[in-house]
Amino acid sequence: MPLSSSQRQTLLDLVGEKGEVRFDEPMARHSTLRVGGPADAWVAPGNIDRLAAIRRFCSESGLACRALGSGSNILVQDGGIRGVVLATERLRGLQFFDPAPDDPRTPVFVEAGVSTGKLLSEATRRSLGGVEFLGGVPGSVGGGMIMNAGTYLGEFKDVTVEVLSIAADGAEIRRSHAECGFVYRGSALPASEVVVAARLLLPQRPQEAIAQAVAALRTRRKEREPHGVGCAGSFFKNPPGDYAGRLIEACGLKGTRRGDAEISTVHANWFVNVGSARAADLVSLIELSRSHVEQRFGITLDLEVKILGEPA
C-alpha cells in the first residue's frame, strides 16, 4: 500500500532541517549501477538520533524500512522498494582520539555515511595505517562494515573494535568485534538493524609507506576493472580456492549482453550497465552465469551484490 498523507507528514517532521525526504524516488539515482524503480520514500536523516526516531516510527506504523549506504553494492529491481529507504549518507561524523597509554594505536569514531575515500585520506594525513585496503574501493563505512569490505591488503575486520547499530525500536546496540561475526565479504550484523557508526583502532605508519601501498592497489584495480559504466563492484563472492571471474570467463560468458546489461569484457565478475539497462537484464545475467558455472564446474556462486526490491 502507498504511504498515507499522515505517514508522509510524520516522516517530514521527524527528519529535521538537516535531513531530506523524497517520495516516489527513483532508486537509479542512488545506485552506482544506475538501475532501479522508485522507493515509496527515500529518507536521509541528518544525525543518528533522527534516524533512530524514524526507525521507531516505521516499526510502530508497520512500514517496511531498509537501510541504504552509498549504493555501490546493490541491485534494486525495476519494481522499486516498498516502504522507507533509510539512507545513511548524511551521517558523516569522523573523530580521531589520542592513543591510550598502553596501546599505541589511534582510536577512531566514524559514522556510517563517511566515504571509504574520506576515511583513508584523513587517516593517511595523520600517518595512520590499517585502512590502505580502501584505496580505490567505492562506498561508505556502513555498507563496508556489513559486508566486511576489503582487498588483498586487508579488511574492515582487521581494524574494527565495535559497531553501533539502531534496532527496529530505535534502541542503539553496540557489538564488539567478536560479536560482529566478520567473515569473507560478510558479517553477522543483522539485516533488521541499521549500522550507524563504528569504532576503529589504527596503527601508526609512515605516509610514504601508506602512499606506496595504496598506489599499487589502485593501479591493480585500474588495470582489472571496468570504468565509465554503471557498476556495483564484484557480483559474486570468490569460491574457496578459486575466482568467480575466472569461472565465468571459462564458460565463455565474458562480454555477454542482455539489453544494455553486460558481463564486462574487462573482468567477468563485474556486470555493468553500458547504457539504459534494466535490473531484469542484470538478474538474467546472474542466473545465466550461475547456471553455466554450476553445470561445468559443480560450483554454486554466491552473490556479493545485494538484490533489493520487487521485479516490475
Side-chain angles (χ1 to χ4, degrees), residues 59-100:
S59 179
E60 293 172 349
S61 304
L63 287 175
C65 182
R66 170 172 282 279
L68 178 70
S70 62
S72 62
N73 194 48
I74 61 169
L75 169 56
V76 180
Q77 298 196 84
D78 300 308
I81 300 176
R82 304 288 68 79
V84 173
V85 171
L86 198 50
T88 60
E89 63 181 45
R90 299 195 179 193
L91 304 183
R92 298 173 186 163
L94 178 58
Q95 295 176 278
F96 294 80
F97 300 92
D98 293 333

Side-chain angles (χ1 to χ4, degrees), residues 196-299:
V196 294
R199 298 187 186 278
L200 317 177
L201 280 176
L202 303 185
Q204 289 286 328
R205 191 179 188 193
Q207 287 187 3
E208 183 178 351
I210 295 172
Q212 289 176 351
V214 171
L217 174 59
R218 285 178 170 156
T219 298
R220 176 186 171 99
R221 292 178 67 89
K222 185 176 181 179
E223 293 172 348
R224 301 177 61 190
E225 297 172 1
H227 299 277
V229 291
C231 58
S234 297
F235 259 60
F236 295 103
K237 299 176 183 178
N238 288 326
D242 212 328
Y243 297 95
R246 187 197 75 79
L247 297 172
I248 295 168
E249 183 172 355
C251 291
L253 297 176
K254 202 172 187 179
T256 300
R257 292 180 63 163
R258 294 289 185 271
D260 278 345
E262 178 185 86
I263 298 177
S264 174
T265 57
V266 179
H267 193 308
N269 197 21
W270 284 57
F271 295 9
V272 298
N273 177 4
V274 299
S276 301
R278 299 178 305 126
D281 299 328
L282 289 153
V283 171
S284 175
L285 290 178
I286 288 171
E287 294 171 347
L288 178 73
S289 300
R290 271 181 160 162
S291 174
H292 278 249
V293 169
E294 186 162 12
Q295 288 178 13
R296 179 166 178 179
F297 298 102
I299 295 173

Side-chain angles (χ1 to χ4, degrees), residues 96 106 108 123-124 126-132 202-205 210:
F96 294 80
T106 294
V108 181
T124 301
R126 294 168 172 81
S127 297
L128 297 175
V131 289
E132 293 89 342
L202 303 185
Q204 289 286 328
R205 191 179 188 193
I210 295 172

Side-chain angles (χ1 to χ4, degrees), residues 24-31 34-42 75-82 85 277-280 308-312:
D24 304 312
E25 174 70 359
M27 291 307 296
R29 297 176 180 172
H30 305 281
S31 163
R34 303 198 293 266
V35 301
D40 291 339
W42 176 89
L75 169 56
V76 180
Q77 298 196 84
D78 300 308
I81 300 176
R82 304 288 68 79
V85 171
R278 299 178 305 126
L308 309 179
E310 305 174 350

